[in-house]
Amino acid sequence: MQGIERFNLETKRILVTGAGRGIGRALVKALYSLKADVYALSLTEENLNTLRVECPGIHTVCVDLRNWEKTKEALSQISESMDGLVNNAGILIPAPIGLFAITPEDCDAHFDLNVKAVINVSQEIARGMIKSGRGGSIVNLSSAASKVHTP
C-alpha cells in the first residue's frame, strides 16, 4: 500500500464489513495504521477476537449481515458517529458450471449478502451520517468475479 501513509485519518470513524479475513481484514489493518477509529464488522467472533489482538483499540461488531433486522439494530447504535463505510462483505459459493447446477439456496445466499446487505448497511450508515450533519463517504467493493467468470 505504497503512498497510503500520506492520509491522515486520525479523527475519522470508519466501518468495514467483512473485516474478519481477506481484503476486509487488510483494510482494517491499513486504516488502523493510519490512526482511524476503526469499526470492524464480521460474522465470526473468533476472527474479530484475533483482529482485536493485532489492532488493539478497534471496535468490533459481530452480526450476520443476512439478517436485516439484527444488522439494523447493531448499526443503529453506531451509525451517527461514522465518517466512512467500506462495504466489503461478500460471498461466492462455488458451484458446478451450468445453469441447472444453481440452487434457490445459492441464489438466496448470494442475493442476501452481496446485494441486500449492502443496501441495508448503506441505508443505516447514511441515515446516521445525514442526521449527524457531518456527511461522510461510502465505498462499495466487489469481486473480480463480477467481471470475469471463475472456473
Side-chain angles (χ1 to χ4, degrees), residues 119-130:
I119 293 167
N120 190 21
V121 172
S122 296
Q123 284 178 345
E124 194 61 36
I125 297 302
R127 275 189 194 102
M129 289 175 171
I130 292 166

Side-chain angles (χ1 to χ4, degrees), residues 3-15:
I4 197 168
E5 61 279 350
R6 73 176 184 261
F7 294 103
N8 181 358
L9 299 178
E10 257 182 86
T11 63
K12 302 298 181 190
R13 293 181 193 96
I14 302 171
L15 171 66

Side-chain angles (χ1 to χ4, degrees), residues 23-41:
I23 293 170
R25 191 177 188 97
L27 284 168
V28 167
K29 290 179 179 181
L31 292 167
Y32 176 79
S33 75
L34 296 170
K35 309 235 184 301
D37 191 9
V38 183
Y39 288 71
L41 187 150

Side-chain angles (χ1 to χ4, degrees), residues 16-67:
V16 178
T17 68
R21 52 194 184 132
I23 293 170
R25 191 177 188 97
L27 284 168
V28 167
K29 290 179 179 181
L31 292 167
Y32 176 79
S33 75
L34 296 170
K35 309 235 184 301
D37 191 9
V38 183
Y39 288 71
L41 187 150
S42 178
L43 170 65
T44 310
E45 187 72 45
E46 182 180 329
N47 290 344
L48 291 173
N49 290 340
T50 59
L51 187 55
R52 232 185 270 114
V53 170
E54 294 176 51
C55 303
I58 64 167
H59 310 275
T60 59
V61 179
C62 188
V63 69
D64 184 348
L65 291 174
R66 296 170 296 183
N67 185 316

